[in-house]
Amino acid sequence: MVANSRNSYAGNYRHNTVQCFFTKDRDENGEMVIEYCPTKLMIADFFTKALQGMSFHFFRDIIMGYTTIAEIFQLQKDNNVSFPIK
């Protein structure tokens, strides 16, 4: 079974494994920092989804430079409120 499994994986498996360990090694060496980003703050959603209402205005303001994510975090911390996105 082990002999068969070595030849049966897809070609992308090795690529994904190498990419994962590359990132893990860089993180452990302190060359990069991996930070958590809540789903509600994924800026790519502005470009990939049809957003409505507050979500659209929230991301538009960040992308157009009217406000920064740091300012949003500070407002959230000062006012003890959640993000304005539903």
Side-chain angles (χ1 to χ4, degrees), residues 4-80:
N4 282 339
S5 67
R6 288 188 183 149
N7 296 325
S8 65
Y9 67 86
N12 288 338
Y13 175 77
R14 183 171 185 272
H15 171 73
N16 289 338
T17 304
V18 168
Q19 193 173 29
C20 176
F21 284 113
F22 176 82
T23 305
K24 182 179 180 227
D25 289 342
R26 295 302 178 272
D27 183 37
E28 289 174 353
N29 292 339
E31 296 176 25
M32 73 169 23
V33 177
I34 299 174
E35 293 184 17
Y36 172 75
C37 182
T39 304
K40 294 179 180 181
L41 289 180
M42 298 287 180
I43 296 176
D45 287 351
F46 183 81
F47 300 107
T48 59
K49 296 179 182 176
L51 301 176
Q52 297 178 6
M54 291 181 72
S55 298
F56 173 79
H57 292 288
F58 176 76
F59 287 120
R60 180 204 58 190
D61 291 347
I62 292 172
I63 291 169
M64 296 297 290
Y66 298 137
T67 188
T68 64
I69 293 178
E71 291 173 0
I72 300 295
F73 277 126
Q74 191 62 40
L75 285 172
Q76 179 194 20
K77 185 187 286 185
D78 292 345
N79 298 327
N80 197 21

